[in-house]
C-alpha cells in the first residue's frame, strides 16, 4: 500500500496519528509532495486545527492545483470566514472538471454558504449522478433545488431519501415547508409515525415543527400549538436560554448610541451608496421586501450577509468567539466608522455576482447594527419591516430557525419572544431619535393593502427610479433560501395578516403583557 493510500485509510478509520505519520513521510520523501501536504492539512482539519490546516493545503495547491485540494481549501476558508478566497478556490476547483462525488459536493456546499444557490445546483447534481445512493449528497441537491424554485425536483429527491431513511427528520421538515399542504394532500400520518420513532431530541424537534406547520395548513390549530409547545419547551431547556443574554446586548447598544456624541460621529463623507439594508424582526416581510427591491433593474440581492456583524467584530478586536456580545458592543464604540464601512464592503463584495450598482443585504438581525451602519455607511439606505406585534411574536415562535444560532434563541418561548419584541421596538425608537429619517419603518400590513403606493415610497427612500417589475416580484427567478420561499413566489396577499388570532386563547398572556408595556396589539 502506498503512503498516500495508508494516510487515506487511516483518516477513514479516524486514526489521526497514523494518518499524520504517513502524510508526513509522503511530503518529505515522495516526488508527489502535493499529496503529502494536502493530507497533512486534512489531518489538522480533522483535529480541529483549521488555521494550521489552511497553509498546509495551500502548500499542496502551490505544487500543482487539483480539484480535490482546492475544494477542501475552499471549505476551510469558509470556516475561517475568508469568503472571497473561498469563492475563488471553489470556482477554480470547478474549472478543473472534478469527477469524484465528494469534491463536487464540497464545491456545492461552499457555493451554497456563499449564497450562490443557482451555481451550487450543478456540482450537487453531478455528485448525485456519481453516487446516487449517497443520501447526504441528494439532500444537498434537494435543498438547492427548493431554494432555486425547482420545487418538483426537490420533492422528488426528498421522497427518494425517505424511501430509504423513513425517519430522516430534516427531510420531513424540508418537505413540510416546501409548499402549502391541504386536507387531501399532506404528510401528517407519516409525520406522526416518524415522531413515534424519533430517538434523538433534535429529530423530535424538527418532526414536531413539521407537524405543526402541516396541521396549521389544514386548519388543526390546536394540534399545531400542542406540537410547537412541546418542541419549544424541550429545546429551550436544552440550550439553557435566559432572556438576560439578549437584554445585555440591547443594554450595551443603548448605552453607546444613547450618547449623542457616539451616534453622530460618522465615517468618510461618502463610502458607498450601494447597500440597501433590509432589517427587522424575522418573519415580518423582510424576504418580501428584498424580492421587491431585487426585482428592480439596478438592484441585486446579495443574501443575508454576516458582513456588518463581522466587520464590527473585526474592528472591535475582542477575543471572544461570539460575533456579538456586550464586550464587543462596548469596544465597537471606539472603532473607526470609516474602517468598519470599508471592512463591510470588502466582505459584502464576495457575495455579489452582477455588475448592478446597488445590492440588498437582508439579514434581519442587522437592526442591532443600525447605529454602526448609519455611522460607517452614511449613504447606505435602511428599511425596517414592522409587522403587528402579535403576528410577529407568533410567527417567530412557530418558525424553526437555525437551532443553534444565538440570534434566535429567544424564539422557543412565547414570553421570551414578547420581551425580545419589546426591546426591538424600544431600539427602533432610539434609532429614529438619534438618526431621524435614516430608517424607513415600513408596515407589512400597509404594504399588503397598498402594494403600489408603498412600493413607490420604498423605492424613493432607497434612491431608486420607478420600475414596474417591482410589482411582479413573484416572477423573480432568483434563489430564496429562507422559510418565506414559497410565499414570495406567489403574488402579494394578506394570508398572514392576523394569523395569531387562530391561537388567541394561548396567546392571551402575550397580548396582556405587551399591552402593559404600552405596546398596542390590535
Amino acid at each position: 500500500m502506498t503512503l498516500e493510500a495508508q494516510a487515506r485509510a487511516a483518516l477513514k478509520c479516524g486514526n489521526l496519528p497514523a494518518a499524520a505519520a504517513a502524510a508526513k513521510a509522503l511530503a518529505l520523501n515522495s516526488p508527489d509532495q502535493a499529496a503529502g501536504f494536502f493530507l497533512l492539512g486534512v489531518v489538522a482539519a480533522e483535529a480541529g486545527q483549521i488555521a494550521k490546516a489552511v497553509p498546509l493545503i495551500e502548500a499542496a495547491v502551490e505544487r500543482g492545483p487539483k480539484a480535490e485540494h482546492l475544494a477542501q481549501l475552499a471549505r476551510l476558508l469558509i470556516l475561517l470566514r475568508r469568503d472571497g478566497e473561498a469563492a475563488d478556490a471553489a470556482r477554480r476547483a470547478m474549472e478543473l472538471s472534478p469527477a469524484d462525488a465528494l469534491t463536487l459536493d464540497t464545491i456545492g456546499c461552499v457555493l451554497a454558504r456563499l449564497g450562490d444557490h443557482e451555481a451550487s445546483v450543478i456540482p450537487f447534481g453531478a455528485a448525485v449522478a456519481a453516487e446516487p445512493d449517497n443520501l447526504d449528497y441528494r439532500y444537498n441537491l434537494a435543498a438547492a433545488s427548493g431554494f432555486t424554485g425547482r420545487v418538483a425536483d426537490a420533492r422528488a429527491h426528498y421522497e427518494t431519501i425517505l424511501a430509504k431513511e423513513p425517519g430522516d427528520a430534516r427531510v420531513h421538515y424540508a418537505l413540510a415547508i416546501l409548499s402549502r399542504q391541504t386536507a387531501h394532500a399532506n404528510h401528517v400520518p407519516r409525520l406522526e409515525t416518524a415522531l413515534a420513532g424519533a430517538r434523538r431530541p433534535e429529530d423530535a424537534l424538527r418532526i414536531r415543527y413539521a407537524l405543526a406547520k402541516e396541521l396549521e395548513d389544514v386548519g388543526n390549530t390546536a394540534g399545531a400549538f400542542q406540537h410547537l409547545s412541546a418542541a419549544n419547551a424541550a429545546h429551550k431547556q436544552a440550550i439553557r436560554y435566559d432572556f438576560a443574554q439578549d437584554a445585555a446586548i440591547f443594554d450595551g447598544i443603548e448605552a453607546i448610541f444613547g450618547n449623542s456624541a457616539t451616534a453622530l460621529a460618522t465615517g468618510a463623507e461618502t463610502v458607498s451608496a450601494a447597500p440597501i439594508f433590509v432589517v427587522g424582526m424575522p418573519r415580518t416581510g423582510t424576504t418580501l421586501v428584498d424580492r421587491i427591491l431585487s426585482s428592480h433593474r439596478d438592484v441585486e440581492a446579495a443574501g443575508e450577509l454576516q458582513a456588518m456583524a463581522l466587520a464590527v467584530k473585526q474592528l472591535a478586536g475582542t477575543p471572544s468567539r461570539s460575533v456579538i456580545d456586550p464586550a464587543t458592543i462596548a469596544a465597537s464604540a471606539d472603532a473607526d466608522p470609516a474602517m468598519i464601512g470599508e471592512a463591510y464592503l470588502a466582505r459584502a463584495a464576495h457575495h455579489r455576482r452582477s455588475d448592478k450598482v446597488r445590492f440588498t443585504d437582508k439579514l434581519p438581525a442587522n437592526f442591532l447594527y443600525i447605529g454602526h451602519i448609519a455611522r460607517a455607511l452614511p449613504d447606505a439606505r435602511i428599511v425596517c419591516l414592522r409587522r403587528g406585534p402579535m403576528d410577529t411574536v407568533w410567527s417567530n415562535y412557530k418558525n424553526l430557525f437555525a437551532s443553534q444560532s444565538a440570534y434566535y434563541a429567544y424564539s422557543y418561548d412565547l414570553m421570551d419572544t414578547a420581551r425580545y419584541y419589546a426591546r426591538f421596538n424600544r431600539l427602533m425608537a432610539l434609532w429614529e431619535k438619534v438618526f431621524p429619517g435614516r430608517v424607513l419603518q415600513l408596515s407589512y400590513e400597509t404594504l399588503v393593502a397598498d402594494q403600489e403606493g408603498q412600493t413607490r415610497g420604498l423605492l424613493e427612500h432607497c434612491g431608486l427610479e420607478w420600475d414596474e417589475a417591482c410589482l411582479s416580484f413573484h416572477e423573480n427567478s432568483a434563489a430564496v433560501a429562507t422559510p418565506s420561499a414559497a410565499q414570495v413566489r406567489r403574488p402579494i396577499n394578506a394570508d398572514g395578516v392576523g394569523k395569531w388570532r387562530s391561537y388567541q386563547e394561548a396567546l392571551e398572556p402575550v397580548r396582556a403583557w405587551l399591552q402593559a408595556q404600552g405596546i398596542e396589539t390590535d
Side-chain angles (χ1 to χ4, degrees):
M1 183 183 291
T2 65
L3 286 170
E4 180 175 355
Q6 289 176 37
R8 289 184 182 272
L11 273 169
K12 190 171 183 179
C13 66
N15 188 343
L16 297 186
K24 186 174 182 180
L26 185 63
L28 292 174
N29 304 319
S30 168
D32 187 9
Q33 288 184 311
F37 280 107
F38 170 69
L39 291 167
L40 280 171
V42 173
V43 170
E46 288 293 310
Q49 300 170 325
I50 307 301
K52 179 182 176 181
V54 166
L56 289 167
I57 297 183
E58 286 176 333
V61 171
E62 288 169 4
R63 285 162 172 78
K66 294 182 178 179
E68 180 190 21
H69 300 177
L70 284 162
Q72 291 301 321
L73 176 61
R75 180 179 70 86
L76 298 180
L77 289 168
I78 278 285
L79 295 178
L80 294 176
R81 301 186 186 275
R82 290 162 60 179
D83 291 359
E85 296 167 81
D88 179 64
R91 291 181 177 120
R92 286 175 64 198
M94 199 63 189
E95 289 168 1
L96 293 173
S97 302
D100 70 288
L102 176 59
T103 295
L104 287 160
D105 182 73
T106 302
I107 294 168
C109 288
V110 171
L111 294 174
R113 283 285 297 271
L114 291 166
D116 197 351
H117 299 286
E118 188 64 47
S120 76
V121 171
I122 297 172
F124 282 147
V128 170
E131 291 189 20
D133 293 332
N134 188 306
L135 301 186
D136 288 330
Y137 298 164
R138 191 173 291 276
Y139 177 85
N140 290 338
L141 176 58
S145 298
F147 293 155
T148 55
R150 300 170 171 89
V151 175
D153 290 347
R155 185 177 291 110
H157 289 304
Y158 286 137
E159 292 292 355
T160 297
I161 296 170
L162 288 179
K164 297 184 178 181
E165 293 288 346
D168 194 320
R170 60 180 182 168
V171 173
H172 284 301
Y173 180 68
L175 269 172
I177 66 172
L178 188 62
S179 59
R180 181 174 294 190
Q181 312 301 314
T182 69
H184 303 292
N186 62 74
H187 311 102
V188 171
R190 183 169 72 180
L191 286 168
E192 289 172 340
T193 299
L195 180 61
R199 296 290 177 263
R200 301 184 305 169
E202 56 267 36
D203 290 341
L205 175 75
R206 288 185 173 85
I207 294 169
R208 284 192 183 278
Y209 263 93
L211 270 165
K213 194 272 182 186
E214 297 212 3
L215 288 169
E216 182 177 78
D217 281 352
V218 302
N220 184 349
T221 55
F225 191 81
Q226 181 182 4
H227 283 293
L228 279 175
S229 297
N232 285 341
H235 193 62
K236 179 183 177 180
Q237 185 175 15
I239 63 175
R240 299 181 179 180
Y241 174 74
D242 185 334
F243 183 73
Q245 299 163 214
D246 279 314
I249 289 172
F250 282 105
D251 289 345
I253 295 168
E254 291 175 353
I256 292 175
F257 290 98
N259 179 335
S260 59
T262 301
L264 296 176
T266 61
E269 290 184 9
T270 300
V271 178
S272 174
I276 302 172
F277 292 87
V278 181
V279 308
M281 288 280 287
R283 309 296 293 141
T284 55
T286 52
T287 301
L288 169 62
V289 168
D290 185 63
R291 295 295 272 192
I292 291 171
L293 288 169
S294 61
S295 297
H296 193 282
R297 58 184 173 271
D298 293 330
V299 182
E300 164 188 20
E304 295 190 355
L305 307 186
Q306 289 280 342
M308 181 53 68
L310 293 173
V312 171
K313 179 70 174 180
Q314 174 186 334
L315 272 297
T318 51
S320 61
R321 294 177 66 89
S322 299
V323 175
I324 186 170
D325 53 35
T328 299
I329 293 164
S332 72
D334 298 322
D336 182 344
M339 292 183 69
I340 291 177
E342 290 168 6
Y344 168 81
L345 291 169
R347 290 179 179 275
H350 304 317
H351 298 265
R352 300 190 65 183
R353 290 174 289 279
S354 79
D355 57 2
K356 293 184 179 182
V357 294
R358 309 291 298 280
F359 69 93
T360 58
D361 178 343
K362 194 206 79 69
L363 183 69
N366 270 335
F367 76 82
L368 296 167
Y369 293 94
I370 285 175
H372 294 95
I373 294 167
R375 296 173 66 209
L377 297 164
D379 293 324
R381 307 304 167 96
I382 310 169
V383 180
C384 179
L385 267 294
R386 303 303 304 264
R387 189 178 179 186
M390 294 300 293
D391 275 334
T392 297
V393 170
W394 173 244
S395 63
N396 274 248
Y397 183 71
K398 75 172 185 175
N399 187 78
L400 180 60
F401 299 106
S403 59
Q404 300 304 313
S405 172
Y407 277 131
Y408 310 114
Y410 65 84
S411 68
Y412 302 101
D413 182 277
L414 278 169
M415 291 309 302
D416 285 338
T417 308
R419 294 182 188 97
Y420 196 94
Y421 177 86
R423 293 304 300 264
F424 158 77
N425 191 57
R426 192 168 102 184
L427 185 59
M428 292 311 303
L430 174 65
W431 295 142
E432 183 57 32
K433 178 182 176 182
V434 298
F435 303 110
R438 279 302 306 273
V439 182
L440 173 66
Q441 299 204 40
L442 181 62
S443 162
Y444 171 76
E445 291 82 3
T446 305
L447 175 61
V448 167
D450 177 22
Q451 180 185 3
E452 181 170 341
Q454 294 300 305
T455 299
R456 287 185 181 276
L458 170 65
L459 297 183
E460 182 179 356
H461 175 79
C462 295
L464 295 166
E465 295 179 354
W466 175 249
D467 188 339
E468 198 78 22
C470 294
L471 298 179
S472 303
F473 64 87
H474 54 286
E475 298 175 0
N476 187 331
S477 62
V480 186
T482 76
S484 303
Q487 293 98 308
V488 298
R489 292 196 173 101
R490 300 163 53 211
I492 205 162
N493 60 79
D495 291 356
V497 177
K499 198 80 171 180
W500 73 274
R501 294 188 184 280
S502 299
Y503 304 86
Q504 193 160 353
E505 183 178 349
L507 293 176
E508 176 56 26
V510 170
R511 191 202 64 78
W513 186 86
L514 289 173
Q515 288 278 143
Q517 311 308 306
I519 297 172
E520 187 56 52
T521 58
D522 295 323

